[in-house]
């Protein structure tokens, strides 16, 4: 018989894996046309890796179990729960979160948190990429094939900077990230709740190690739509552990323990988590630690009921967020048809019971709550790799509003919170000053009205030919693609020519920067960014100085002498500083000049308006108004 392959056989589908990059653990799953399953490594063990990285003094790096074992011995050089730092600035982290990291957190140039390890610092993206690289390695050993493409999941609450940081981590690990999908969407896919006949509302309650998310999804005719999401990126099983550690320290402190000993704290943390997990199946347990200085063994008896009492406020907080999501979606708990549990902390019987009572129905617990997200990511990965679930359409919503800074520091929102994505919005702006040659477009995210209360995402500069105030027509387009990634473009219509736009994200990294990191020359990238910023600042300074001086000439006696003097002084100061190298000082002087020159801009604007009004018919004005 011939050994030739069947010419009618389907071409080999492309291998795309699903990755759950978790706060506590990370998993890889694969469907390959069949039912999704967690990938096994070369030794036949499931690829389920603790999300831990330890940087040894001698330069070696441990990832996963080995790093976790190292944690009590080298707490300051071992990173756990790195996901909480992804795409964040130091100011985004409360003191409670910062205290969780024994390693020193620092902030550089562009407000991204970095972790200090002796004489070097690393970014959360780099740490996450080490986890992804290890996942990739183990999966390849088990599958006997190269893994190059992946779908990675993120909490529904992740903002653009955090999604971009996740994407960057994937690239640094040598993975092509085909899609970033929300964890609740993945969990629903794993339960097969998106079938063609399926119809109804699903609540996905996800309580992991570090985050809580509640998502309400509507399933209809093979499509998923996120109705509302609510969550807290700083709430999870780690907090339960912390409560246990604190109460244990209190109880054991009476026996002469040094509560500030980092080795003891790390040991206690592990013992508290283990005790908590035992209490999910046992009614009582004993927490055991060894005092590192005296070598004395200490024991503390714990009952399930005590744990439940201690964690009740935490569970209440999750239920309050469930109520908020329902209110946002304009529905009652009784409208929910299915409840899906995700995350290791939903193994706790008390959590299951309270969630079941809240929604008035028993939650789905058939799949392992730790695996369900990775399994769902594998379903999506299989579709992207050419599987036959192609009819499945995933629709998500953007969790926060997105807008532009307008004159005076206010926010103009283009895409509102909970808008369905992909989404596109366009708006036209003009300039309040004459002869502007560079327009600063500041993209912000948040629900507040003032830029200072929102999160800065990116700054663009649009260069235009000089025109009188009010004449330029700048059309700005916001586009959120299926991955939840935001792209902003701007075009000045009147001049016809598409001006060149540079994007310098404040959070997240550009592709070129990621490449540089891969070559381990990140320090240069930072210097480049600083140099670039200096050039931009100098350009901006000279155009602002030019405009201010010309306006001073035009204003005549409409400007009070004291105001004129303040503007002249601010201009001189800016001129002197912009020859120097101190970007922050130039920026401050620019801001100061812009601020004192505001009445001047108004005077010139009023004059220009008065000019424009003269000789026009009143109805024309009304139509324009
Ligand atoms: P995840 O972020 O989804 O991997 O969830 C990890 C969290 O689930 C950690 O805080 C674990 O301590 C917790 N966890 C895992 N298994 C159990 C269990 N059987 N009972 C209680 N908590 C658990």
């Amino acid at each position: 018989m011939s050994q030739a392959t069947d010419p009618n056989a389907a071409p080999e589908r492309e291998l795309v894996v699903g990755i759950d990059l978790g706060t506590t653990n990370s998993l890889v799953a694969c469907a390959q046309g069949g039912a999704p399953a967690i990938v096994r490594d070369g030794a036949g063990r499931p690829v389920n890796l603790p999300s831990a990285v330890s940087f040894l003094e001698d330069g070696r790096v441990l990832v996963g179990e080995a790093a976790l074992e190292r944690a009590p011995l080298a707490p300051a050089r071992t990173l756990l729960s790195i996901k909480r730092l992804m795409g964040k600035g130091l100011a985004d982290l409360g003191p409670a979160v910062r205290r969780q990291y024994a390693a020193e957190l620092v902030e550089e140039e562009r407000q991204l948190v970095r972790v200090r390890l002796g004489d070097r610092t690393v970014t959360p993206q780099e740490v996450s990429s080490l986890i992804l690289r290890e996942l990739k390695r183990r999966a390849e050993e088990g599958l006997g094939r190269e893994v190059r493409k992946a779908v990675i999941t993120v909490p529904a609450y992740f903002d653009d900077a955090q999604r971009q940081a996740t994407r960057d981590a994937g690239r640094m690990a040598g993975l092509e990230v085909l899609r970033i999908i929300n964890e609740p969407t993945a969990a629903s896919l794993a339960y097969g709740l998106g079938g063609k006949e399926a119809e109804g509302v699903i609540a996905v309650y996800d309580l992991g190690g570090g985050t809580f998310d509640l998502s309400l999804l509507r399933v209809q005719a093979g499509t998923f739509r996120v109705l509302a999401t609510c969550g807290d990126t700083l709430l999870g099983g780690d907090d339960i552990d912390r409560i246990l550690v604190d109460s244990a320290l209190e109880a054991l402190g009476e026996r002469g323990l040094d509560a500030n000993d980092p080795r003891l704290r790390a040991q206690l943390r592990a013992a508290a988590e283990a005790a908590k997990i035992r209490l999910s199946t046992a009614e009582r347990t004993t927490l055991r630690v060894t005092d590192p200085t005296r070598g004395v063994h200490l024991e503390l008896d714990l009952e399930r009921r005590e744990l439940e009492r201690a964690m009740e406020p935490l569970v209440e907080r999750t239920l309050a967020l469930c109520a908020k999501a329902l209110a946002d979606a304009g529905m009652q708990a009784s409208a929910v048809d299915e409840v899906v549990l995700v995350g290791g902390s939903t193994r706790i019987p008390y959590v299951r019971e309270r969630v079941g009572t809240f929604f008035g129905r028993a939650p789905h617990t058939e799949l392992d709550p730790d695996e369900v997200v990775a399994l769902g990511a594998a379903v999506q990965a299989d579709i992207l790799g050419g599987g036959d679930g192609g009819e499945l359409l995933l629709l998500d919503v953007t969790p926060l509003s997105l807008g532009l800074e307008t004159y005076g520091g206010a926010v103009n929102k283009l895409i509102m919170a909970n808008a369905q994505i992909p989404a596109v919005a366009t708006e036209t702006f003009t300039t309040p000053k004459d002869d502007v040659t560079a327009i600063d477009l500041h993209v912000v995210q948040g629900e507040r009205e003032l830029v200072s209360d929102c999160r800065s995402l990116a700054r663009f500069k649009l260069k235009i030919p000089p025109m009188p105030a009010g004449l330029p027509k700048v059309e700005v387009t916001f586009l959120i693609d299926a991955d939840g990634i935001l792209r902003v473009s701007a075009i000045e219509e009147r001049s016809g020519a598409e001006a060149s736009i540079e994007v310098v994200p404040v959070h997240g990294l550009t592709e070129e920067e990621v490449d540089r990191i891969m070559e381990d020359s990140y320090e240069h990238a930072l210097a480049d960014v600083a140099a670039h910023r200096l050039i931009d600042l100098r350009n901006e300074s000279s155009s602002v100085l030019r405009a201010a001086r010309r306006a001073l000439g035009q204003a005549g006696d409409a400007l009070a002498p004291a105001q004129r003097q303040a503007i002249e002084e601010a201009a001189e100061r800016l001129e002197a500083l912009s020859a120097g190298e101190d970007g922050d000082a130039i920026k401050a002087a620019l801001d100061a000049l812009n601020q004192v020159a505001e009445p001047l801009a108004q005077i010139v604007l009023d004059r220009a308006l008065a000019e424009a009004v003269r000789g026009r018919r009143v109805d024309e004005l009304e139509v324009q108004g």
Side-chain angles (χ1 to χ4, degrees):
M1 253 183 78
S2 163
Q3 290 294 305
T5 50
D6 178 2
N8 295 323
E12 195 179 349
R13 72 181 64 231
E14 198 174 14
L15 177 67
V16 187
V17 298
I19 298 180
D20 172 8
L21 185 60
T23 309
T24 326
N25 285 284
S26 297
L27 294 86
V28 185
C30 182
Q32 285 283 287
I38 301 299
V39 173
R40 297 193 170 263
D41 66 14
R45 290 171 307 228
V47 180
N48 180 347
L49 187 76
S51 304
V53 180
S54 194
F55 296 83
L56 304 189
E57 301 271 4
D58 62 11
R60 278 182 304 141
V61 179
L62 306 177
V63 182
E65 301 83 0
L68 204 58
E69 276 166 27
R70 194 85 193 168
L73 302 168
R77 300 191 72 90
T78 304
L79 297 168
L80 310 168
S81 302
I82 194 70
K83 190 172 172 179
R84 285 187 166 187
L85 302 183
M86 292 287 272
K88 293 272 187 184
L90 256 193
D92 301 329
L93 309 170
V97 178
R98 273 194 248 173
R99 231 181 299 130
Q100 258 195 304
Y101 296 87
E104 187 191 351
L105 304 182
V106 294
E107 194 175 77
E108 284 176 18
E109 193 62 21
R110 292 171 309 142
Q111 305 159 28
L112 274 175
V113 164
R114 296 170 73 95
V115 185
R116 184 178 299 288
L117 298 158
D119 55 2
R120 63 182 283 223
T121 62
V122 292
T123 61
Q125 294 95 303
E126 287 173 272
V127 178
S128 292
S129 81
L130 292 169
I131 296 168
L132 287 169
R133 198 173 278 277
E134 180 63 14
L135 290 172
K136 176 178 178 325
R137 193 188 66 76
R138 292 191 190 186
E140 283 173 344
E141 263 183 26
L143 291 167
R145 292 173 68 172
E146 199 190 356
V147 172
R148 284 184 295 120
K149 298 184 175 181
V151 167
I152 304 182
T153 59
V154 295
Y157 230 57
F158 257 28
D159 64 23
D160 297 283
Q162 292 165 299
R163 282 167 203 262
Q164 189 56 46
T166 306
R167 205 170 248 286
D168 292 343
R171 283 199 58 212
M172 284 185 235
L175 287 168
E176 188 184 334
V177 183
L178 295 189
R179 186 149 309 172
I180 300 278
I181 66 171
N182 285 341
E183 290 163 6
T185 307
S188 302
L189 287 175
Y191 272 109
L193 296 176
K196 262 186 245 152
E197 265 85 68
E199 192 153 331
V201 176
I202 310 169
V204 183
Y205 179 101
D206 179 350
L207 190 61
T211 57
F212 170 67
D213 278 309
L214 187 281
S215 307
L216 294 172
L217 314 175
R218 183 180 296 285
V219 190
Q220 208 165 21
T223 68
F224 275 95
R225 190 153 70 86
V226 183
L227 299 174
T229 69
C230 239
D232 189 333
T233 51
L234 303 173
L235 179 63
D238 295 352
D239 299 289
I240 304 176
D241 302 345
R242 208 163 28 238
I243 295 171
L244 277 183
V245 167
D246 287 345
S247 66
L249 276 174
E250 205 171 295
L252 296 174
E254 290 163 11
R255 298 183 219 166
L257 270 191
D258 176 10
N260 293 320
D261 186 331
R263 285 172 302 168
L264 176 68
R265 288 196 80 95
Q267 206 193 121
L268 254 180
R269 195 187 165 282
E273 183 180 8
K276 173 190 74 176
I277 290 173
R278 286 196 299 275
L279 286 178
S280 286
T281 43
E283 285 298 329
R284 56 185 58 81
T285 189
T286 306
L287 187 152
R288 292 187 176 84
V289 284
T290 306
D291 179 350
T293 39
R294 297 178 299 165
V296 183
H297 299 294
L298 295 163
E299 294 189 345
L300 190 68
D301 289 329
L302 276 174
E303 285 196 17
R304 185 189 282 186
R305 201 159 309 167
E306 282 174 77
L307 174 69
E308 292 179 351
R309 254 201 307 275
M311 62 184 279
E312 192 189 346
L314 205 137
V315 177
E316 289 290 344
R317 267 167 70 197
T318 68
L319 297 179
L321 287 164
C322 294
K324 184 170 181 301
L326 286 169
D328 283 354
M331 57 174 59
Q332 307 279 326
S334 56
V336 171
D337 300 294
E338 316 258 8
V339 181
V340 171
L341 295 183
V342 181
S345 300
T346 63
R347 287 212 188 82
I348 300 174
Y350 181 64
V351 171
R352 291 186 173 184
E353 181 195 314
R354 295 292 307 269
V355 174
T357 308
F358 181 89
F359 286 104
R361 67 190 57 247
H364 277 282
T365 52
E366 301 93 308
L367 294 174
D368 183 326
D370 281 326
E371 295 183 352
V372 62
V373 168
L375 296 175
V379 171
Q380 175 67 38
D382 193 42
I383 293 168
L384 294 174
D388 44 29
E391 293 160 38
L392 207 63
L393 184 66
L394 293 181
L395 295 173
D396 277 341
V397 296
T398 176
L400 298 167
S401 298
L402 294 158
L404 269 187
E405 171 169 1
T406 59
Y407 192 60
V411 179
N412 186 322
K413 296 193 182 103
L414 274 90
I415 294 179
M416 304 304 281
N418 281 332
Q420 236 176 62
I421 59 172
V424 65
T426 297
E427 205 157 308
T428 305
F429 299 86
T430 189
T431 53
K433 296 179 191 170
D434 279 343
D435 297 333
V436 170
T437 55
I439 298 176
D440 251 328
L441 295 152
H442 185 194
V443 183
V444 296
Q445 181 172 47
E447 306 313 308
R448 304 278 295 270
E449 295 305 317
L450 292 180
V451 169
S452 50
D453 296 321
C454 288
R455 181 179 172 81
S456 175
L457 283 187
R459 283 179 188 274
F460 294 71
K461 201 176 275 296
L462 176 68
K463 299 192 172 94
I464 60 168
M467 277 181 262
L471 216 57
K473 277 183 76 180
V474 179
E475 191 182 276
V476 180
T477 303
F478 277 47
L479 175 79
I480 309 181
D481 68 13
D483 295 339
I485 304 286
L486 172 71
R487 291 196 179 87
V488 181
S489 56
I491 177 169
E492 202 289 303
E493 286 182 344
R494 223 171 270 279
S495 57
E498 206 169 329
S500 67
I501 302 164
E502 282 173 56
V503 187
V504 184
V506 176
H507 293 266
L509 306 167
T510 64
E511 291 211 345
E512 292 84 309
E513 282 169 334
V514 172
D515 287 337
R516 271 195 288 261
I517 289 180
M518 291 166 85
E519 290 152 21
D520 212 359
S521 59
Y522 187 50
E523 299 312 319
H524 287 129
L526 275 182
D528 288 353
V529 170
H532 190 147
R533 174 170 177 255
L534 201 58
I535 292 167
D536 279 351
L537 282 168
R538 284 184 185 144
N539 287 342
E540 197 181 340
S541 298
S542 66
S543 72
V544 168
L545 280 169
R546 217 179 313 119
R549 289 190 167 136
R550 201 164 42 97
L552 274 177
Q554 291 171 354
D557 50 12
L559 195 65
Q563 279 180 324
R564 177 179 290 274
Q565 196 189 340
I567 295 168
E568 279 168 354
E569 278 172 14
E572 270 166 34
R573 186 168 161 69
L574 176 61
E575 190 157 44
L577 283 170
S578 62
E581 302 290 319
D582 187 345
D584 289 341
I586 300 175
K587 180 78 180 68
L590 246 175
D591 289 347
L593 176 58
N594 276 325
Q595 203 184 350
V596 292
E598 225 170 88
L600 183 60
Q602 195 58 48
I603 288 166
V604 174
L605 196 64
D606 289 348
R607 291 207 168 174
L609 272 179
E611 288 285 313
V613 169
R614 217 171 296 143
R616 284 204 195 179
R617 293 207 325 269
V618 175
D619 59 342
E620 245 177 55
L621 274 180
E622 276 177 359
V623 172
Q624 293 207 339

